[in-house]
Amino acid sequence: MRPLSRLVLTVVTFSLIGGMATPAMSHDLPSVGPEVETPALFDDEAGHNANGDDPAIWLHPSQSGKSVVITTAKEGGLFVYDLDGRQLQHFPAPAAPGPDDEPGRFNNVDVTYGFGGRDLAVVSDRGRDILRIYAISGGRLTDVTDPAAPFVFNATQQEVNEAQTAYGLTTWKDSTGTYALVSRRHKTSVGLVKLLQGPGGTVGYQLVRTLDLPASFTLPNGQTWTPCMEPGELAQVEGMVVDQERDVLYAAQEDVGIWRMRADLTGTPVLMDKVREYGVPGSYDPETEECTPGADPGYGGRHLSADAEGLTIYYREDGKGYLMASSQGDGTFAVYRREGSNAHLRQFRIGQDDGIDGVENSDGSAVLNVPMGDFDEGLFVAHDGANTPAVPDRENTNFKFTGWGDIAEELDLDVDTDGWDPRDREPKPGQATRAPVSGGAAHPRAPPPG
């Protein structure tokens, strides 16, 4: 996520005065109320610069009511909550290694099960360009990061300080090992990183290959379009999720749309859906640090308003289910079919209900179909980038928990509490093992020496 004032608010303002056609207002869409919210996080010195971003759900192996939600808060580190939203643990982000260096900033988190007999939470630290890895037992986390773990994308601390570092993250497991897919800040790159057993029970990793998504696009009118960014920046990816039964990665390029590709980063990515702003020219004003949009040529999508952000999958049996995406620019969530060509199904928002405010400016989200405590038909967790009640001069964020059954009822979607167990990776009868993704050559890069 980048500051909304730099690009998105400019586009929204322009649309309101008639420069672009606007979709149906988000308040006309179905709204589902959250049941639980976590304590407020404040992005200032008093709040230890805690700015919520991304959640992951860990399922307890025998007592699902003791499952936990693990969340990132940038410089505020990592927070662990129970299903009632109460804080159980907090891990501060690492301090800067030197006086001129960036401190740790925990950006995205995901969970993987059964790595060497342990469940892991894997975190991208965009301040330090490393992955931090936590073993999970009984809902308690322990840092097991190998002290010798290398930078993900850079070779030196000086390069890390340029901020082109590990950013978005999701995990993936197949017969060859356990991996993290990691995007690079201010670049179009996604890296495949293999987790490795380290000394003394620690966990390290090695970059296997990278793939660069396009930075510019040929429009139907023959013109070349490049998303308007600050000088030196490219359209980055953050939100990602792997369909664990098909080995397919979905990656949200914030100013472009959602890509579908093989999780091992071979083959040719397919742009599954575009943001509404796709193809809109823009000019960057260094004084305002904003992009002023030109006329909309009409090549954008209908379901996502930039930024395209958090992605998550609700699994059903027989290879069915739903891919869900945060449409950050209009505060809604898009629902696509998991199967086939990912047809769009529904759009909704998490709205105010029973004393809990709704979700706006959402970055990450996570969904799980399994009954957990009071969430007996599954759980959807979303980051709220504008938590209320507002506190003057303090950026206020948190996370909202919503029952999947409420979402399914409002949107006429299915509830399938038996169709998927993240601890049981064996395909069910009749289930496809891979989704078709168009072939072609990727752009691998060998891991750095050492």
Side-chain angles (χ1 to χ4, degrees):
M1 175 187 178
R2 52 178 199 283
L4 290 177
S5 60
R6 189 169 70 77
L7 175 62
V8 177
L9 291 182
T10 305
V11 175
V12 171
T13 301
F14 188 73
S15 70
L16 291 176
I17 62 174
M20 292 173 60
T22 56
M25 297 299 290
S26 62
H27 56 69
D28 295 331
L29 295 171
S31 178
V32 185
E35 298 179 32
V36 170
E37 66 176 337
T38 61
L41 300 170
F42 294 102
D43 189 10
D44 55 21
E45 185 175 357
H48 304 287
N49 300 313
N51 188 331
D53 195 296
D54 190 45
I57 304 169
W58 174 79
L59 177 65
H60 194 284
S62 59
Q63 297 175 282
S64 64
K66 294 186 177 181
S67 302
V68 298
V69 176
I70 306 164
T71 69
T72 59
K74 300 188 176 74
E75 285 186 41
L78 198 70
F79 289 81
V80 183
Y81 303 101
D82 67 14
L83 296 178
D84 291 319
R86 294 179 297 234
Q87 181 180 319
L88 300 177
Q89 285 182 286
H90 173 234
F91 296 87
D100 298 322
D101 301 326
E102 289 292 320
R105 288 176 64 88
F106 287 2
N107 210 63
N108 280 189
V109 59
D110 201 6
V111 168
T112 187
Y113 297 88
F115 178 83
R118 296 184 294 179
D119 301 341
L120 303 177
V122 185
V123 179
S124 58
D125 182 344
R126 85 187 211 197
R128 301 286 300 276
D129 193 35
I130 61 174
L131 302 186
R132 297 213 69 88
I133 301 164
Y134 299 82
I136 314 171
S137 178
R140 302 289 295 181
L141 275 62
T142 303
D143 191 342
V144 294
T145 310
D146 186 342
F151 298 133
V152 178
F153 292 111
N154 294 282
T156 66
Q157 181 63 48
Q158 183 176 359
E159 291 179 358
V160 171
N161 292 342
E162 297 298 318
Q164 295 175 357
T165 52
Y167 197 59
L169 177 143
T170 190
T171 58
W172 170 53
K173 184 177 181 180
D174 76 349
S175 61
T176 67
T178 300
Y179 299 86
L181 280 301
V182 186
S183 67
R184 189 173 189 182
R185 189 173 184 230
H186 299 331
K187 295 290 187 180
T188 67
S189 305
V190 178
L192 179 68
V193 178
K194 187 172 186 178
L195 302 189
L196 304 171
Q197 297 281 5
T202 62
V203 180
Y205 51 84
Q206 181 182 43
L207 182 67
V208 177
R209 66 175 62 92
T210 61
L211 180 147
D212 291 336
L213 292 170
S216 298
F217 304 83
T218 301
L219 301 176
N221 62 7
Q223 295 181 354
T224 298
W225 172 70
T226 302
C228 181
M229 309 295 295
E230 290 189 14
E233 295 183 9
L234 300 177
Q236 65 193 11
V237 167
E238 184 174 9
M240 295 188 289
V241 67
V242 172
D243 187 324
Q244 302 288 343
E245 295 179 332
R246 287 183 166 91
D247 300 335
V248 170
L249 170 68
Y250 296 92
Q253 194 172 11
E254 294 177 344
D255 297 274
V256 178
I258 301 173
W259 293 89
R260 182 177 65 238
M261 66 196 80
R262 291 192 176 106
D264 64 3
L265 303 186
T266 63
T268 301
V270 174
L271 188 56
M272 187 201 91
D273 199 5
K274 305 179 184 73
V275 297
R276 293 183 175 97
E277 298 82 357
Y278 180 92
V280 176
S283 57
Y284 180 76
D285 185 338
E287 292 188 4
T288 63
E289 297 184 343
E290 293 180 347
C291 289
T292 302
D296 181 8
Y299 301 133
R302 299 174 58 190
H303 315 300
L304 301 169
S305 292
D307 293 353
E309 285 283 350
L311 301 179
T312 187
I313 291 175
Y314 180 92
Y315 292 88
R316 295 168 53 205
E317 65 180 354
D318 297 327
K320 298 179 181 179
Y322 309 110
L323 171 69
M324 306 174 70
S326 170
S327 173
Q328 190 179 72
D330 62 4
T332 69
F333 296 89
V335 183
Y336 304 86
R337 289 193 188 278
R338 174 189 165 210
E339 62 271 22
S341 57
N342 305 114
H344 180 265
L345 294 174
R346 301 284 189 275
Q347 203 86 10
F348 74 102
R349 58 181 295 115
I350 300 296
Q352 179 179 347
D353 185 60
D354 197 23
I356 302 178
D357 65 302
V359 168
E360 300 290 344
N361 304 335
S362 184
D363 277 327
S365 59
V367 68
L368 191 57
N369 65 310
V370 180
M372 290 172 285
D374 292 336
F375 299 98
D376 56 358
E377 293 184 315
L379 171 63
F380 176 72
V381 180
H383 160 257
D384 179 12
N387 183 47
T388 61
V391 179
D393 302 319
R394 303 190 77 187
E395 185 172 352
N396 181 355
T397 61
N398 73 348
F399 296 86
K400 305 293 197 287
F401 299 3
T402 306
W404 175 258
D406 294 337
I407 295 173
E409 181 178 10
E410 185 68 30
L411 276 63
D412 194 24
L413 301 175
D414 287 302
V415 173
D416 186 351
T417 57
D418 298 321
W420 164 255
D421 182 341
R423 297 179 177 280
D424 181 7
R425 293 294 313 284
E426 292 300 320
K428 296 183 181 295
Q431 175 179 299
T433 56
R434 287 183 185 267
V437 180
S438 59
H443 306 284
R445 189 184 76 177

